[in-house]
Amino acid sequence: MRESDRNLRELSDLITPMSIRVAVTLRIPQKISGGGLTAEALAAETNTDPGVLERILLHLVSAGVLTRDDGGLFGLTRVGDQMLVENDGSVNPDFLDLGTVSGRAELSFFRLPEVARNGDIVAYSAQYGTSFWDDLGKEPSSAVHFDQVMAAGMKKRVQEIAESYDWGALGSVVDVGGGNGTLLVGLLQAHAGLRGTVVDRDAGPAVRAFRDAGLSGRAGAFSGSFLEPLPPGAGGYVVSRIQSDWNDADVRTILGHCADAAGAQGRVIVVDEFAAEEGVRTDSETDLRMLMYYGGKERTMEQVRELAADVGLSVRSLRRAADWTIMELSSNAGAVRGGSSVEEALY
């Protein structure tokens, strides 16, 4: 077999990825991390067919993920150890678990041929009959994991984000889709006079984060959708790591609600890592996941600017914060429409 053929086969292989996902879903790594077990013992613990499970495990041995000694005991290689703990953000075991929303989302890639023919299809919804977000809302453990993954990326950058913009001048901010409050905690800790509110599908994680950080007197959260009107009256409405998770129509809706709530005097602030401009290599894996999971895309700064312009927002300033950008937008929309007041949300 020629080298080019061998590489193409490796690149197109589904056997190894699915075998890894099955092993993670069955918690095989945890069961053998403290000492090897035979396929028969593992099958008994996982209620699986011994013969089939052994064939899966033997393939993972050949792939360099597992080991097998002369006594038939399976163990973990250095690569296999990555199925136990997150590896510098590159591998998260829960992401591979087919019992979680994130794990199931990967199987939506089997719908890629349909999406290629009809770009309006959202693969996850077509695969499971419901949206990723609705599924996430039904599964608390997956929702917690999702927030943790989002927060992990934010924690690396929150200090520089807090220092790269005069957040304190806004007086108060609403973190739209702020998850467990990681960004807002960082902003409030860096700017003593600032107040803030998180709006997300579940207010509980953010409320607990504010309490743990001693910020309950300056921060609050409530459960709501940013596809609905937002509470008006804050100096700034922050949108971070959201623009890539939605289609163009929904991004316009989200930015439009921010613009309405901010009014003529407020600011809409997009904090994100934008896709590379034309002709520069971008994160193609993430871009395709956005497409398949949500019908979204990794957008360039110009694409976000155009969507913002569609709802009457224009760019006032751009600031770098680590490898992200803070895009400050303003509106001449005038009167505020919809939502309860921010002060009511805070207190």
Side-chain angles (χ1 to χ4, degrees):
M1 181 182 294
R2 294 176 304 174
E3 183 68 18
S4 58
D5 293 335
R6 182 163 58 249
N7 289 340
L8 180 61
R9 180 162 184 166
E10 290 171 359
L11 287 169
S12 59
D13 172 38
L14 294 179
I15 299 171
T16 303
M18 287 304 298
S19 296
I20 290 172
R21 284 172 165 78
V22 169
V24 170
T25 304
L26 295 174
R27 299 295 186 267
I28 297 295
Q30 287 82 354
K31 296 179 188 303
I32 62 178
S33 62
L37 290 174
T38 64
E40 290 78 9
L42 288 167
E45 290 195 20
T46 57
N47 193 31
T48 54
D49 182 284
V52 173
L53 182 61
E54 183 173 40
R55 292 160 74 177
I56 293 171
L57 298 179
L58 286 173
H59 175 70
L60 292 178
V61 171
S62 69
V65 177
L66 300 181
T67 62
R68 182 176 184 271
D69 65 17
D70 292 339
L73 301 179
F74 288 92
L76 296 170
T77 65
R78 180 181 58 81
V79 173
D81 282 337
Q82 296 176 32
M83 295 189 291
L84 287 168
V85 295
E86 188 170 355
N87 180 39
D88 298 329
S90 60
V91 178
N92 191 300
D94 289 339
F95 178 75
L96 301 173
D97 184 347
L98 298 176
T100 67
V101 175
S102 296
R104 291 196 299 274
E106 287 291 279
L107 299 186
S108 68
F109 272 92
F110 289 111
R111 298 274 182 166
L112 187 56
E114 296 172 54
V115 176
R117 294 185 179 94
N118 182 355
D120 292 331
I121 292 175
V122 179
Y124 190 98
S125 299
Q127 182 80 1
Y128 299 108
T130 186
S131 74
F132 177 92
W133 303 112
D134 286 344
D135 253 4
L136 198 64
K138 299 171 189 173
E139 206 169 277
S141 60
S142 287
V144 169
H145 168 247
F146 183 85
D147 283 344
Q148 289 172 341
V149 171
M150 295 298 101
M154 183 61 72
K155 284 178 180 177
K156 300 174 184 177
R157 304 169 175 89
V158 67
Q159 182 175 351
E160 191 156 351
I161 291 171
E163 294 173 351
S164 299
Y165 181 83
D166 188 7
W167 299 96
L170 298 173
S172 61
V173 296
V174 174
D175 190 352
V176 181
N180 64 10
T182 298
L183 174 58
L184 188 53
V185 166
L187 298 183
L188 297 183
Q189 288 175 334
H191 300 272
L194 186 65
R195 296 178 178 178
T197 305
V198 162
V199 179
D200 211 321
R201 63 186 183 277
D202 180 6
V207 169
R208 291 189 288 274
F210 300 145
R211 182 191 61 223
D212 293 345
L215 294 169
S216 296
R218 296 165 52 204
F222 67 90
S223 300
S225 169
F226 40 63
L227 295 176
E228 301 295 333
L230 295 165
Y237 290 78
V238 185
V239 181
S240 63
R241 295 307 294 155
I242 288 177
Q243 58 88 9
S244 58
D245 295 349
W246 302 87
N247 61 33
D248 286 352
D250 286 335
V251 172
R252 289 191 194 95
T253 296
I254 295 166
L255 292 175
H257 287 318
C258 290
D260 287 346
Q265 303 304 314
R267 300 288 179 262
V268 178
I269 304 159
V270 179
V271 182
D272 218 321
E273 180 182 23
F274 296 103
E277 302 299 331
E278 293 298 325
V280 181
R281 188 175 182 276
T282 190
D283 185 351
S284 58
E285 286 190 11
T286 299
D287 185 45
L288 284 174
R289 284 195 172 94
M290 298 302 99
L291 171 68
M292 302 300 281
Y293 292 11
Y294 324 118
K297 64 189 295 186
E298 290 288 288
R299 293 178 174 84
T300 65
M301 195 179 301
E302 183 58 32
Q303 288 171 329
V304 174
R305 188 196 301 260
E306 290 172 358
L307 291 173
D310 289 343
V311 296
L313 291 169
S314 58
V315 176
R316 284 176 55 90
S317 68
L318 296 169
R319 293 174 173 83
R320 293 295 294 171
D323 51 346
W324 286 18
T325 298
I326 300 173
M327 176 187 285
E328 181 189 38
L329 304 163
S330 65
S331 170
N332 295 318
V336 171
R337 303 190 297 274
S340 59
S341 74
V342 170
E343 293 303 311
E344 289 173 355
L346 276 169
Y347 303 109

